[in-house]
Amino acid sequence: SLFSDEASQSAPARSRGMSNFGVKGASLVTDIAQSEKGTIPPYNDELARAVVDESQEHHRSILRLIGDIQAAGASLDEAKPDDAAAILVHHQAVLRNKRALLVYLNERMRRVRQLRWEVGTGLPEAVGENLSHSERSFFTQYAALVNKYQGRRGGVGLNLTLDPAPPRDHKVQVRVLEEYGEIVTKDGVVDLAKNTVHLMWRDEAQPLIAEGVLEKLDDH
Amino acid sequence: LGTRAFQMDEEEDLASQLGPRTSQVHDTDVSKLKRAFVNEKCAPEILPFEFDLVQRVVAAVDSRESVVASARASASTGPSSAADDLQTHVFQSELNRVRFLLRAYYRTRLFKIENHAVWTLKEPAVLARLSTLEKEYATNYANVVEEHFGSVLGQMPEGYGSMLQQIEEQDAAWDMVPEPNLDKHVFCLVKQDRGDVMLDPDDPENTMDLERNDIIMIRYRLIKTLLEENAVDLM
């Protein structure tokens, strides 16, 4: 590992209980990097908060160092190299933490965006539980943006979530997985009773397939 | 500079013995849309929005759709010939394919906007390539992202809370704005005879002889202008 036990045991007491710089940030990035692609693990609020708190501590150290320099009657430009280096290291540590936080948030945000395209505007409860409050809010706002862009009024007037792959047939055979009741289609009323098989228009079946209500039967 | 992936000399000799080279089959709007989509898919940056082309295709789709709908309506009420049914089927298949192209074209562009939202908004040359709706989308998207990031960045120490600058400094560059990688390699089909072309201004001696139907693999940045001039297509 990057941070061996030996090193942490020999850390001076002067570290004021702060962990090795950047460890928490790295841990946050690992959290999302090691998660299974296409899934969103629970938002690690505790760790994110810890990284922010650590950054605040660094900042307090910076202010203290600046204060000490100015109290000694010197200007910042005249500061001793040791002091200047200390300030710089704390500053860089904050930047590192900021970067780690943004990597974490950005990757999760990317996966949340994908939800809109794969699942639609309804956020499944199981997924919603894993999102932070701000992420749930982001999903709602993003979903609305996409809706507006593809809508008929003020948009391009075309459902962009359909046809993720080039179409082959225009009717598909589907089996109903969940009882869904009657729906109105271009061909008339269809009763989607559980386990029944229907031949439906692709663009009508696609959203229901994405939702998991229907299962596409491959023709052999 | 680039790699010549395919030599056409032998085949051209054969073709010229067989007769004059046939010109390209008349360029339909659908084939233009397909090329626009493929170019968009392969290019690392967003390309100019094909407003007129899309408008024509959408109009054609709408009118064909009503033809198909009325054909299906009359087929369900009265007798229809096998030829009519086949024609409806073929129209429907074509409609599905064209709609796919439109959807994919819009989508590819939207994702590029999302991935480089701030960059797109702050570079006038890039912003100019977006449709009006896309510009609106880019602005709103950037705001939504800023709000979300702000929920965490807002807790950071003073001066470190911006998503555009690492540390807030007046009159300093925005150093946290990702931009597309124009040095990505792409495959190109050369559409026009251009002769000896100097592609890399950093290496002006090294020219490439570009003839129609050549296929080359090269850094996008070096053929960007040729693509703008419609002298190459990406593949």
Side-chain angles (χ1 to χ4, degrees), chain B residues 205-217:
Chain B
E205 300 289 297
N206 197 351
T207 61
M208 255 193 121
D209 187 20
L210 294 180
E211 278 174 47
R212 195 186 147 156
N213 287 333
D214 283 346
I215 298 179
I216 59 173
M217 185 190 73

Side-chain angles (χ1 to χ4, degrees), chain A residues 43 48-49 51-52 55-56 59 62 90-91 94-95 97-98 101-102 105-106 109-110 113 117 132 134-135 137-138 141-142 145-146 148-149 154-156 158-171 186-187 201-203, chain B residues 49 58 72 88-90 92-93 96-104 106-107 109-111 114-115 131 133-134 136-137 140-142 144-145 147-149 151-168 176:
Chain A
Y43 182 76
R49 230 173 255 282
V51 174
V52 170
S55 308
Q56 290 285 2
H59 186 62
I62 295 175
H90 282 292
H91 169 68
V94 176
L95 292 186
N97 282 354
K98 179 172 174 177
L101 278 167
L102 285 173
L105 289 176
N106 198 41
M109 184 182 77
R110 204 187 54 77
R113 290 203 322 256
W117 295 92
S132 72
S134 180
E135 285 172 339
S137 172
F138 171 82
Q141 290 175 296
Y142 177 72
L145 271 187
V146 174
K148 177 145 197 268
Y149 183 78
V156 299
L158 196 60
N159 185 341
L160 300 183
T161 62
L162 298 179
D163 292 337
R168 289 176 58 202
D169 310 298
H170 47 262
K171 276 204 154 170
K186 276 184 271 213
D187 294 328
W201 290 98
R202 251 184 64 261
D203 47 356
Chain B
F49 183 68
V58 168
R72 264 198 265 120
T88 310
H89 182 104
V90 169
Q92 183 69 60
S93 293
N96 287 347
R97 285 198 208 105
V98 176
R99 270 195 292 246
F100 162 75
L101 278 179
L102 278 172
R103 290 192 238 264
Y106 283 133
R107 270 200 302 260
R109 292 176 62 89
L110 227 51
F111 295 153
E114 287 174 8
N115 287 333
S131 72
L133 288 175
E134 287 174 339
E136 197 189 320
Y137 186 87
N140 293 338
Y141 177 77
V144 171
V145 170
E147 194 184 310
H148 172 51
F149 284 173
S151 71
V152 173
L153 290 182
Q155 326 252 325
M156 290 291 273
E158 207 182 311
Y160 293 96
S162 164
M163 78 170 199
L164 302 170
Q165 289 177 308
Q166 290 191 81
I167 178 100
E168 274 169 59
M176 279 174 57

